[in-house]
Amino acid sequence: MPMSIDSIIARIGGPEATARLTGVGTEAIRKWRQAQAIPSRHWPAIAQATGLSLQDLQPTPAVTDRPSPLAGGSQTGSSMPQARPDGATAALVLADGSVLWGKGFGAFTPKPAIGEICFSTGMTGYQETLTDPSFAGQIITFTFPHVGNVGTNALDDEAARPAALGLVVKEDPTEQANWRATSSLDAWLKQHGTPGIAGVDTRSLTLKIRDGGAQTAALVFPADGRFDLDAIAAEVAAWPGLEGMDLAKEVTCAAPYTWSEGVWSWPDNTAAPTGKRRKVVAVDYGAKRNILRCLVSAGCDVTVVPATTTGEQILALKPEGVFLSNGPGDPAATASYAVPAIRTVLEAGIPLFGICLGHQLLAQALGAKTYKMERGHRGANQPVQDLATGKVEITSQNHGFAVDAATLPEDAHVTHISLFDGSNEGLASDKYAAFSVQYHPEASPGPSDSFYLFERFVTLIDTNGVKH
């Protein structure tokens, strides 16, 4: 008979001993106790340490998913139910067979929007989240129940259009009530062809993703109100997943351009500060506009180039520093063309700073490996510790892949770690003038905990200029 999670943890020697044994943080152990389940990848180590059988580690039967607020709720089965509850105009079809019904808003779906279902914990910034190119190939579940209350405006777009495939919310989007709003969320989504579904039990869905890991889903909001759930389920099953998928080419800029706006501030709006400027080339794997603003505010003249730009083409622009942006997809796939370019820049002695996907690509260029996480980090409340100072930053994150710190070469070291699960959040090279972080320092949930990283980059450029 399966043992309780508390009994298993006690047999190992407590939460700290369990964390050391399984290589996770104590926060992960707390989540295991809350969910009353231990991820199966940790069973062999626990079984060996405790003498328990794998059957002992099986989770106890749990209560099935809570029903949707709409009649009918979630339904599972090998043959998809064709009937839908009264009032339902949209559905979320998951790879595990669940069908979550709700009310559609935003744009209709000419064909199902299929991608990886994930959740974001931010209480604000839904427009920035939806337009973050790092969310390409994903459907976002917002854990905060009230979405739409500040409307939308052009200054809050992080890219020209939403990158996310769609969004899932608990309550119907509210009318905007903010002086900066120029459009409602519903109208903005219609304008950009992005669908949404409301009325879903997002708490239950979030727990499903957290405990079961990422899975494929389809958001369906048909204009004619017809649902062929069996056909949709087949499409979901056929979607290959983000692993091995290069999405940077889909969201990168088409041609180089310059950026001159600084960080938004009252009353100067986005005027660039005066003073010394450093020539920086930013490689766009899916760059957010506020990253470029932060570089300008830190004292950089920024030229943005496409993801496939070669190292020789970057050096021809005579940069004093090179920035590697965030972006979507599997870093191992993007590495095929990004890593040779990064290595060329490193060997030329040009200072380099990367974030998110750029962090993972720098790691690969240095010789490390990346892996697909069981559950990614997404949201604006992620605690990260700077190992050099001991300080903890509250960060914004969006990644489903991570750097395997154990594979870093001897001439590179870890600089930051996640206090949620102990995963790698930053690195620096001891051989080259290069460093990177996994999180988004420009998103400022702290609100300014992480701006020092842009200043560190500028200092590295200035120091390197003295050396050369």
Side-chain angles (χ1 to χ4, degrees):
M1 179 179 179
M3 294 182 65
S4 71
I5 302 302
D6 287 337
S7 297
I8 295 170
I9 292 171
R11 178 173 289 202
I12 296 171
E16 290 77 13
T18 304
R20 288 194 298 272
L21 173 67
T22 55
V24 301
T26 54
E27 174 65 14
I29 305 302
R30 183 191 69 78
K31 291 180 178 179
W32 296 357
R33 300 172 85 162
Q34 185 179 47
Q36 284 298 295
I38 297 174
S40 58
R41 65 189 176 95
H42 299 301
W43 292 358
I46 293 174
Q48 184 175 8
T50 61
L52 296 172
S53 68
L54 295 183
Q55 185 176 1
D56 294 328
L57 301 175
Q58 295 277 351
T60 54
V63 178
T64 57
D65 291 341
R66 303 177 195 177
S68 164
L70 295 170
S74 62
Q75 305 178 50
T76 61
S78 56
S79 179
M80 289 289 176
Q82 297 302 314
R84 70 175 185 268
D86 291 340
T89 59
L92 189 68
V93 181
L94 305 181
D96 67 4
S98 301
V99 179
L100 308 179
W101 294 98
K103 290 191 289 184
F105 62 97
F108 290 116
T109 53
K111 60 181 181 179
I114 300 177
E116 183 178 274
I117 185 77
C118 65
F119 64 86
S120 178
T121 59
M123 295 178 65
T124 59
Y126 52 81
Q127 184 183 348
E128 293 91 333
T129 299
L130 290 166
T131 54
D132 179 354
S134 297
F135 276 110
Q138 295 174 303
I139 300 168
I140 306 170
T141 303
F142 285 99
T143 60
F144 189 66
H146 303 293
V147 172
N149 52 341
V150 297
T152 63
N153 71 86
L155 285 176
D156 286 348
D157 284 340
E158 291 290 359
R161 65 175 311 280
L165 297 171
L167 66 156
V168 183
V169 298
K170 179 175 176 57
E171 305 291 346
D172 292 345
T174 54
E175 288 299 315
Q176 69 270 24
N178 186 277
W179 64 275
R180 297 176 67 236
T182 58
S183 175
S184 69
L185 175 62
D186 183 64
W188 181 79
L189 291 170
K190 284 184 170 71
Q191 175 189 348
H192 292 293
T194 304
I197 181 172
V200 172
D201 184 349
T202 52
R203 183 176 179 83
S204 176
L205 178 57
T206 298
L207 291 173
K208 179 191 288 286
I209 299 168
R210 188 199 70 181
D211 297 337
Q215 63 174 296
T216 303
L219 199 167
V220 194
F221 180 28
D224 61 6
R226 299 176 63 183
F227 296 84
D228 186 347
L229 295 182
D230 285 325
I232 296 166
E235 290 187 62
V236 169
W239 196 71
L242 292 179
E243 198 161 3
M245 190 176 291
D246 174 26
L247 294 175
K249 288 180 180 177
E250 296 184 14
V251 298
T252 189
C253 57
Y257 65 94
T258 58
W259 183 272
S260 58
E261 289 183 5
V263 173
W264 190 92
S265 62
W266 180 265
D268 299 323
N269 205 349
T270 58
T274 58
K276 181 180 178 181
R277 317 301 295 172
R278 294 86 175 166
K279 189 172 183 180
V280 167
V281 170
V283 185
D284 177 16
Y285 302 114
K288 294 172 63 179
R289 290 173 176 172
N290 210 42
I291 295 172
L292 306 179
R293 294 188 183 104
C294 285
L295 288 168
V296 169
S297 290
C300 301
D301 281 329
V302 180
T303 298
V304 185
V305 299
T308 54
T309 304
T310 66
E312 290 75 17
Q313 290 170 327
I314 292 172
L315 295 181
L317 296 172
K318 300 188 182 303
E320 296 174 85
V322 172
F323 174 78
L324 307 177
S325 84
N326 63 295
D330 187 344
T334 306
S336 63
Y337 55 86
V339 163
I342 294 169
R343 286 177 176 162
T344 298
V345 171
L346 291 172
E347 292 296 339
I350 307 298
L352 192 149
F353 172 35
I355 71 166
C356 198
L357 179 61
H359 162 71
Q360 297 160 359
L361 293 172
L362 173 60
Q364 293 220 4
L366 294 175
K369 296 180 180 179
T370 56
Y371 64 94
K372 183 76 166 66
M373 305 174 77
E374 273 193 49
R375 52 196 60 78
H377 296 170
R378 298 178 180 88
N381 60 347
Q382 307 277 334
V384 168
Q385 186 173 37
D386 184 333
L387 298 182
T389 64
K391 291 183 178 180
V392 175
E393 303 165 38
I394 299 303
T395 70
S396 179
Q397 300 192 21
N398 170 27
H399 63 106
F401 294 83
V403 173
D404 183 351
T407 65
L408 282 173
E410 292 183 358
D411 56 6
H413 63 277
V414 173
T415 60
H416 298 73
I417 61 168
S418 167
L419 294 184
F420 273 159
D421 58 14
S423 61
N424 178 257
E425 292 286 350
L427 63 87
S429 172
D430 302 320
K431 180 179 179 181
Y432 303 106
F435 70 99
S436 59
V437 292
Q438 180 63 78
Y439 52 96
H440 283 256
E442 86 293 339
S444 304
S448 56
D449 289 10
S450 306
F451 189 78
Y452 73 93
L453 292 163
F454 295 99
E455 297 170 334
R456 178 182 292 178
F457 180 42
V458 167
T459 300
L460 191 62
I461 291 173
D462 291 345
T463 302
N464 188 77
V466 171
K467 288 180 178 178
H468 287 74

